[in-house]
Amino acid sequence: MAHSVFSLLRLTMPLGIGIAAARRAARLSESAVLSPAQLFPYVKPLGKSADLRPPAPSAPSPPSGATGNLAAWWDSTTASQRLWSFQHTAATPSSFTSVTARVRDTGYKTHSVLTSIDLGRLNGTSVSPEIRIVTEAGTTLDLPLTLDYVHSKFHVTGGWVGENALLFHPLEAYLDHGIVIAFAYEIGGGSVRPYAPSPTDPSEQALSDYLSSGASASDPANDRWFDRMCSGDFMPSEVASSMTTAGGTRGVSVFPPRVIIAVTLATLRERADFEPGGIVGMARIYPHVMVRSNVRLKRIETAAKFTRPARTTTLDTGNGTVPGTCCNAYADIKSLLVADSNEDPWGVNDAFKPFWSGVFAYYEVDPDVRLGGTPLHVVRRDRPSTRTEASCGHRDLASSPETFTSIEKRPRQGEFDNIHLAPRLRLDAAFVTYRAAIAWPPGSRQYDAISPSSMRLDQLAMAPFCSHDCLHMHWRWSPGGPRWTKGWGSGVAPYSEVAVPMIPTNHDLDVICNGPNTVTLVEKAYPSSTPGEDDTGTMEADRFEIFFHPGAAYAQGIVSWRESVGASIVAWGANGRTGFSSWDFADASRTLMDISQPPVLYWNLRYYARQVGTTWTATPWIGSYSAPTSDITTAEVDRARHA
């Protein structure tokens, strides 16, 4: 028995969702055979030379006459609202360009999310359209991701799956649009050539019929079309036994070495299942590379380059409910690298967690400036155990009596755990205002002028969560979160183990900051989770290795949550220092600036105010071990990331 190309592609995220959606619509069981007419609304075949641009979604219109806060109406439209569009060009099949999404918090304006996603292999400073493999014999081969090697393509138009419906993505998901591009190879004599299917292969005949006839493809009761699509001789599903009786004979099918690479893109509609609190609406995007061979391999090398626009770019006015920007943001896109904390401090209802010291261990603002072009080892098989870097940083925890001056690293955790690519904010405050202890008339306010530089009101990073136009990539989360923050356990077990990286245990991952708005991920697969076994071991044949599994997420907004965040800060942000409930920011006209305003919120998450005499200064929640009121030093960051 052997697999067809299509039968293997059913393990990809887009096609898995599309097939599940077709069965649900037809009220069929999970194993039922689909007809072409039942599958076609969800999974449309594409010719090898066909481009694809899913239709740009329209902005939902607010109710007639609606004014004021439309958060409740937005929430009611969230689950069903399409957001994404992208460009697939047949001539460059491993790249996706012009990736856009509507953003709820801006009144569903269309934003440019990524100018390009390039999948392939790192070659110098660029990503070449090829995947490198090393065979069991030690031969290095580069498999081109070019049109000549494309076997088939499918556009998946939508669909929903619940938890545990898909092997590689066991989370609930609502697909917006997706595409699957299959590259097929034969290997022989140290060279690579495109897979040439037999003209009598039933899967190839069924695929040809589907391309030409769509929903009307032939589907007789005694020779079902879906069965034929899944039957073929591309790749064996098991190795035939060589044993037979004495003196007997047995026929054994011999297959040439073959490899399939599936390049896929899945865009999802908004769900609050990305960060640990489940309180930020995120639209996820998954560019995956999946590699499977019918022979054993020693290494697979892949890369993915994500390029954001240099500046926030809106392409329309959405539904017109939010003029301008929503949160006083600059236009330039910049980056922030973060390592999440692993300690479990004491505190009431984890109220310290919105603050940087409650979720981060250390960070690098604008990493392209100091670390640009350097491969940062962010998932490391050579770090198999927990370790601690002592006397490193000073994390002052809101709502907790504890202060941390060491940094704990977990198994396989590398230099950083996530990257944010987003614009910065500014806080246009002119005063700190509070009710004086002795005032006339009673209850009147004191207004103290503040220095924007001393209070660090400019270039505020949106973290640990973003308001809008923020692209997040996380390959590890802190312990204690829900299922969607868990990492990859042993075997095919995503989202199964706390505080470990979210890629397979036999993979390493590097991150390269190419610029303020561009990042390259370099992921390699090896025979084992133990580097010392690389020379003698091999990866199993007939098993997919999946790359860039965590994907990315694009912020849709925290509108309905800002009030509860504000309440947390007001209640717990003081921690015996300067109670936020006793003072406020005020603008030049002496108008109070509410915590629901994003710049005020993000300032408080990174800093607290400290008054020395008549001067107010910003004090970071994450400071230096030797000077806690100053930022953690680059020397401390370097010690921690190399631990």
Side-chain angles (χ1 to χ4, degrees):
M1 176 181 170
H3 286 297
S4 69
V5 171
F6 181 81
S7 68
L8 295 173
L9 296 179
R10 291 181 297 173
L11 289 173
T12 65
M13 185 177 180
L15 201 56
I17 294 176
I19 290 171
R23 286 191 170 124
R24 184 175 299 104
R27 299 186 177 183
L28 298 176
S29 69
E30 292 183 4
S31 59
V33 173
L34 285 162
S35 70
Q38 290 166 334
L39 186 62
F40 190 76
Y42 299 93
V43 178
K44 299 186 183 300
L46 297 172
K48 297 179 183 180
S49 299
D51 298 340
L52 175 66
R53 177 77 182 178
S58 58
S61 299
S64 178
T67 59
N69 189 347
L70 297 175
W73 169 74
W74 278 341
D75 288 345
S76 69
T77 68
T78 295
S80 61
Q81 176 60 36
R82 288 189 184 269
L83 302 168
W84 293 93
S85 187
F86 57 86
Q87 178 68 50
H88 160 72
T89 302
T92 53
S94 64
S95 295
F96 304 100
T97 59
S98 303
V99 181
T100 65
R102 292 197 176 275
V103 178
R104 172 172 54 81
D105 209 23
T106 67
Y108 285 108
K109 293 184 179 76
T110 299
H111 285 64
S112 176
V113 181
L114 291 154
T115 56
S116 63
I117 304 171
D118 299 306
L119 300 171
R121 180 183 70 85
L122 186 67
N123 186 3
T125 59
S126 62
V127 172
S128 296
E130 61 193 18
I131 301 298
R132 174 163 290 179
I133 64 172
V134 178
T135 68
E136 186 175 13
T139 303
T140 298
L141 297 171
D142 291 329
L143 309 183
L145 299 176
T146 56
L147 182 59
D148 289 343
Y149 291 84
V150 172
H151 171 271
S152 50
K153 302 193 299 192
F154 299 91
H155 172 210
V156 185
T157 62
W160 174 90
V161 290
E163 280 197 279
N164 302 316
L166 303 181
L167 177 66
F168 287 109
H169 189 82
L171 304 181
E172 182 178 351
Y174 197 167
L175 184 72
D176 199 331
H177 282 279
I179 186 172
V180 178
I181 306 151
F183 300 84
Y185 311 84
E186 288 188 350
I187 300 170
S191 63
V192 179
R193 58 183 179 271
Y195 165 59
S198 165
T200 60
D201 186 308
S203 177
E204 299 297 326
Q205 294 173 343
L207 174 62
S208 177
D209 194 9
Y210 197 39
L211 276 165
S212 61
S213 303
S216 301
S218 176
D219 186 33
N222 63 344
D223 189 19
R224 297 299 305 275
W225 168 84
F226 195 81
D227 286 338
R228 285 182 282 126
M229 282 286 283
C230 296
S231 301
D233 61 6
F234 173 67
M235 188 172 287
S237 60
E238 58 186 23
V239 179
S241 171
S242 61
M243 296 181 63
T244 187
T245 58
T249 61
R250 178 172 183 164
V252 178
S253 297
V254 178
F255 290 84
R258 287 175 179 164
V259 179
I260 181 172
I261 298 177
V263 169
T264 72
L265 184 67
T267 60
L268 302 190
R269 307 181 201 192
E270 181 181 345
R271 285 183 57 80
D273 66 349
F274 183 72
E275 42 68 43
I279 36 74
V280 183
M282 291 287 192
R284 294 203 191 215
I285 179 169
Y286 293 92
H288 285 162
V289 173
M290 298 176 67
V291 181
R292 180 168 174 150
S293 169
N294 67 346
V295 295
R296 290 178 174 268
L297 302 176
K298 293 188 71 68
R299 190 169 73 249
I300 304 171
E301 299 180 11
T302 66
K305 186 175 185 178
F306 297 81
T307 303
R308 293 217 61 197
R311 296 164 61 83
T312 292
T313 304
T314 56
L315 305 178
D316 56 38
T317 58
N319 58 25
T321 59
V322 180
T325 62
C326 70
C327 52
N328 208 22
Y330 287 103
D332 292 345
I333 302 294
K334 297 187 176 183
S335 53
L336 169 70
L337 274 171
V338 170
D340 288 346
S341 61
N342 293 306
E343 297 81 7
D344 185 19
W346 179 90
V348 180
N349 297 324
D350 288 348
F352 49 81
K353 284 193 172 178
F355 302 90
W356 280 33
S357 56
V359 291
F360 300 157
Y362 57 91
Y363 58 88
E364 182 83 18
V365 178
D366 300 325
D368 59 292
V369 175
R370 190 171 76 93
L371 305 174
T374 302
L376 305 173
H377 309 309
V378 297
V379 177
R380 308 185 61 161
R381 295 176 304 135
D382 64 353
R383 297 292 193 273
S385 59
T386 298
R387 62 268 187 209
T388 299
E389 189 69 17
S391 304
C392 191
H394 183 279
R395 282 174 284 158
D396 212 351
L397 297 178
S399 79
S400 174
E402 294 184 84
T403 297
F404 289 118
T405 57
S406 62
I407 292 173
E408 178 184 304
K409 303 287 282 288
R410 293 295 181 94
R412 298 178 61 227
Q413 183 183 2
E415 299 186 47
F416 295 97
D417 294 327
N418 56 80
I419 189 168
H420 301 205
L421 299 165
R424 301 281 161 78
L425 310 184
R426 66 181 182 276
L427 174 53
D428 291 332
F431 299 96
V432 162
T433 177
Y434 51 93
R435 300 189 188 280
I438 301 175
W440 188 263
S444 62
R445 284 184 168 272
Q446 173 77 30
Y447 288 84
D448 292 350
I450 56 176
S451 163
S453 58
S454 295
M455 286 293 280
R456 306 179 74 167
L457 304 181
D458 203 13
Q459 295 294 325
L460 298 172
M462 292 189 286
F465 43 80
C466 283
S467 181
H468 84 282
D469 198 24
C470 181
L471 188 71
H472 296 243
M473 298 182 202
H474 283 247
W475 43 91
R476 197 197 74 94
W477 291 92
S478 296
R483 183 184 187 183
W484 57 75
T485 65
K486 293 181 179 180
W488 200 289
S490 59
V492 184
Y495 305 108
S496 64
E497 188 173 335
V498 299
V500 298
M502 306 175 80
I503 66 174
T505 58
N506 62 315
H507 289 206
D508 282 339
L509 179 67
D510 289 353
V511 166
I512 302 171
C513 295
N514 308 99
N517 60 315
T518 305
V519 62
T520 299
L521 307 184
V522 180
E523 188 169 348
K524 298 179 182 180
Y526 297 90
S528 167
S529 59
T530 304
E533 299 175 0
D534 291 346
D535 291 339
T536 58
T538 57
M539 286 177 275
E540 291 182 25
D542 305 323
R543 187 186 74 177
F544 268 119
E545 295 287 343
I546 185 168
F547 298 86
F548 319 114
H549 181 266
Y554 189 60
Q556 286 292 304
I558 55 174
V559 170
S560 60
W561 189 65
R562 283 189 189 137
E563 291 183 3
S564 63
V565 172
S568 173
I569 292 174
V570 170
W572 303 110
N575 193 22
R577 301 176 184 84
T578 302
F580 183 80
S581 57
S582 66
W583 65 270
D584 297 280
F585 282 116
D587 63 19
S589 65
R590 302 198 172 192
T591 300
L592 298 186
M593 305 182 75
D594 189 82
I595 191 66
S596 66
Q597 298 179 39
V600 179
L601 169 64
Y602 288 113
W603 186 94
N604 277 275
L605 295 180
R606 185 173 179 183
Y607 306 109
Y608 62 89
R610 189 167 57 93
Q611 189 178 23
V612 180
T614 59
T615 302
W616 290 82
T617 61
T619 301
W621 289 108
I622 301 179
S624 169
Y625 176 76
S626 59
T629 59
S630 300
D631 286 326
I632 186 172
T633 66
T634 56
E636 289 172 307
V637 170
D638 288 345
R639 282 173 50 208
R641 66 188 181 92
H642 291 307

